[in-house]
Amino acid sequence: MLVGIVALTAVFGALMPPALSTATAASPEVTVSQGRLRGTEHRDVHQFLGIPYAAPPVGPLRWKPPQDAPTWQGTRAATEFGPGCPQLMDESSSYTIDEDCLFLNVYRPAVRGAEPVPVMVWIHGGSYVAGAGGSYDPTRLVAEGVMVVTVNYRLGAFGYLSLPSLSAESPDHASGVYALMDQQAALRWVRTNAAAFGGDSGNVTVFGESSGAASVCQHLVSPTAAGLFHRAIAQSGCGAPDMPDQRQAHRSGTTFATLLGCDDAATAADCLRGRSVRDILKKSRSVPWSPSTGGTVFPQRVHEALAADAYHHVPVLMGSTIDEGTYFATYDYPDSLTAEQYPKAVTDHFGPEAAARIAREYPVSAYSSPLRALGAAMTDGLFACSIHQATGMLAPGTPTYAYEFADPAPGGADPAIPGAGHTAEIPYLFDVDGPQGRPFTAAQRALGDTMIEYWTRFAEAGDPNVSSAPTWPAFTSRTPSVLSLAPAEVAPNTDFAARHRCAFWLPLLSAGMIDWKI
């Protein structure tokens, strides 16, 4: 998993849009709750970069809920990205990291009408341990008449550590969701300040990909996120049912604290606050990081909350790529995977309880290579079917739209990854063409334009349909329509569950027989 994360960070980090160093003759200025900001204009977009939305989470504020953002006198230059949050990085990544990292970036149309524009808040992915908001240039989205905000939030151990001593500090006796608290603090900042940029604080869409999409779904079921957003878009990440509870997270966190010499359960939190960022990152490789359930912010797993109708009933658009798993399989086995290695690979990624059944369902003989067989199993079991299940749970209670990104050779993607793997749809929405990515064809550019129209129309109205694109039917229990997004082939279908063998996977998932590892 880490190899894939670092590779993803390298691609998007190297493509971070440059902060403009030269202001235009009439640099845009706004006044927010903390003071005056001066931005820049580029390609008919006003950019306000590196805005602090919370106090630096350092020293005694490490592993504390985000505190009020600082104020300033005079006019602050918002012309450069703030540093990304601490993370393990590839040497080719261009952005810096620092524990003082709670910054966001605002992009608005340079030319606007009198009416406020819809707001879209992007939560980046990176398996909860990598990424930065500034790696995504939303210029093409903004050109459709929306305001886009990209956000940094605490990652890895800094965002998800849970310990008995941290829980003891908290009013709800829970810990491990500092990243979710950061994201909600950013959404509160947007609610307070959107109007200053010409944005509509009453029409906010939260959207994200991978762990960013999982975060979106966690906010869907978070009581403390009530009223902070009005639509939600989840790209390749609303499926995971296996978030740890407090007991499990405490155990993992205690193991981590011990690695850093903080053995006393009663004082481990204060002990770790004395450790350096470098030492924490060095030891964090050996521990899985994700939000933990059990407090007021994230009381229960997403699927449990959806089943109990305990979620915010806002319109939802969600989906996945048709070959999600090939991304992880390729990075996990860069020298390819042999038929002899295949059974162990299945066990490694799905756990021993169901491995033999999965290997029989996805025999190497049915695919062009063992790598494609593993990729297909990972696509179906770890993404497609669990996301499809979540879509079905949401549909009875709120307008829900499902998609599958199905470009067989995506533009901007690494040619070494077969098909439309995880992250393949991102360059169709953001300007993140990879230095080694495939060039875009005219048909692929047109597909990207169509997707941007769908996404921004959904942000505006809670319904993605536009007159210039094929009709996108809502997903219902009677007609489980999934819109296939491929060059010159945008059309709904109802065979998604059958193609991805969800009748095989859902019983295994419901029984807790899958021990996911990606």
Side-chain angles (χ1 to χ4, degrees), residues 276-477:
S276 70
V277 168
R278 180 177 180 179
D279 286 345
I280 288 170
L281 288 177
K282 188 184 301 183
K283 298 298 185 182
S284 67
R285 292 175 180 269
S286 58
V287 178
W289 300 108
S290 68
S292 49
T293 62
T296 56
V297 175
F298 189 30
Q300 58 183 330
R301 295 171 177 175
V302 170
H303 279 62
E304 293 171 353
L306 297 182
D309 197 31
Y311 66 92
H312 307 302
H313 289 69
V314 301
V316 176
L317 186 156
M318 68 165 59
S320 55
T321 71
I322 198 168
D323 301 301
E324 293 276 2
T326 61
Y327 172 92
F328 299 99
T330 300
Y331 280 121
D332 285 346
Y333 305 94
D335 298 323
S336 194
L337 177 69
T338 67
E340 291 73 25
Q341 294 169 322
Y342 181 68
K344 183 179 184 301
V346 172
T347 301
D348 289 345
H349 287 288
F350 296 98
E353 190 170 359
R357 293 169 63 177
I358 295 167
R360 286 195 300 270
E361 186 73 15
Y362 294 81
V364 170
S365 59
Y367 296 88
S368 59
S369 70
L371 193 71
R372 290 307 296 259
L374 180 63
M378 295 176 77
T379 295
D380 298 349
L382 305 186
F383 290 94
C385 293
S386 55
I387 291 172
H388 194 68
Q389 182 183 43
T391 307
M393 291 174 159
L394 284 161
T398 194
T400 305
Y401 297 86
Y403 75 86
E404 182 172 55
F405 181 79
D407 189 338
D414 184 345
I417 299 172
H422 192 64
T423 78
E425 87 286 8
I426 293 178
Y428 289 67
L429 300 168
F430 294 91
D431 288 335
V432 292
D433 294 9
Q436 298 178 346
R438 297 185 187 92
F440 278 81
T441 66
Q444 289 171 327
R445 288 293 183 195
L447 174 61
D449 292 342
T450 297
M451 290 172 61
I452 286 170
E453 285 189 284
Y454 281 140
W455 263 239
T456 55
R457 176 60 179 169
F458 178 80
E460 178 185 8
D463 182 329
N465 283 288
V466 290
S467 59
S468 57
T471 299
W472 188 337
F475 186 104
T476 67
S477 55

Side-chain angles (χ1 to χ4, degrees), residues 70-97:
T71 60
W72 55 83
Q73 298 297 317
T75 300
R76 178 187 177 108
T79 57
E80 296 185 3
F81 295 108
C85 290
Q87 58 194 274
L88 297 166
M89 297 182 69
D90 185 272
E91 291 180 358
S92 64
S93 297
S94 65
Y95 57 90
T96 59
I97 59 172

Side-chain angles (χ1 to χ4, degrees), residues 4-293:
I5 294 166
V6 171
L8 178 64
T9 304
V11 170
F12 290 152
L15 295 164
M16 180 175 286
L20 302 180
S21 58
T22 303
T24 63
S27 296
E29 294 192 3
V30 299
T31 299
V32 297
S33 54
Q34 302 132 276
R36 190 80 178 158
L37 291 168
R38 183 182 70 253
T40 56
E41 182 176 336
H42 181 58
R43 292 168 57 190
D44 297 322
V45 171
H46 288 167
Q47 303 178 347
F48 299 87
L49 310 178
I51 306 170
Y53 67 86
V58 301
L61 296 184
R62 182 186 282 178
W63 298 304
K64 291 284 190 179
Q67 303 299 302
D68 290 342
T71 60
W72 55 83
Q73 298 297 317
T75 300
R76 178 187 177 108
T79 57
E80 296 185 3
F81 295 108
C85 290
Q87 58 194 274
L88 297 166
M89 297 182 69
D90 185 272
E91 291 180 358
S92 64
S93 297
S94 65
Y95 57 90
T96 59
I97 59 172
D98 193 277
E99 196 171 3
D100 178 5
C101 63
L102 299 185
F103 300 96
L104 54 76
N105 314 295
V106 177
Y107 304 79
R108 71 177 184 185
V111 179
R112 302 173 307 284
E115 295 298 316
V117 299
V119 181
M120 301 181 73
V121 179
W122 174 252
I123 301 177
H124 69 77
S127 292
Y128 299 116
V129 299
S135 296
Y136 302 82
D137 181 351
T139 295
R140 288 183 290 136
L141 290 160
V142 176
E144 292 297 314
V146 300
M147 174 176 134
V148 176
V149 181
T150 66
V151 179
N152 291 353
Y153 56 92
R154 282 174 280 183
L155 301 165
F158 297 93
Y160 301 104
L161 177 66
S162 183
L163 287 170
S165 50
L166 286 174
S167 295
E169 298 176 356
S170 175
D172 65 355
H173 306 293
S175 55
V177 290
Y178 306 103
L180 292 178
M181 291 178 177
D182 292 346
Q183 294 160 14
Q184 291 183 9
L187 288 167
R188 287 191 294 272
W189 189 96
V190 168
R191 183 174 61 186
T192 299
N193 294 292
F197 299 89
D200 185 353
S201 62
N203 188 3
V204 174
T205 297
V206 61
F207 71 135
E209 186 270 343
S210 191
S211 57
S215 299
V216 167
C217 290
Q218 290 149 20
H219 295 307
L220 271 175
V221 305
S222 170
T224 54
L228 295 181
F229 60 94
H230 312 91
R231 331 233 186 268
I233 300 174
Q235 301 171 211
S236 301
C238 198
D242 60 346
M243 295 292 100
D245 60 23
Q246 288 294 297
R247 179 183 57 81
Q248 294 165 325
H250 282 172
R251 186 167 60 244
S252 177
T254 298
T255 297
F256 175 72
T258 300
L259 292 174
L260 283 153
C262 298
D263 301 333
D264 186 339
T267 62
D270 285 338
C271 177
L272 286 171
R273 289 188 177 112
R275 296 294 185 259
S276 70
V277 168
R278 180 177 180 179
D279 286 345
I280 288 170
L281 288 177
K282 188 184 301 183
K283 298 298 185 182
S284 67
R285 292 175 180 269
S286 58
V287 178
W289 300 108
S290 68
S292 49
T293 62

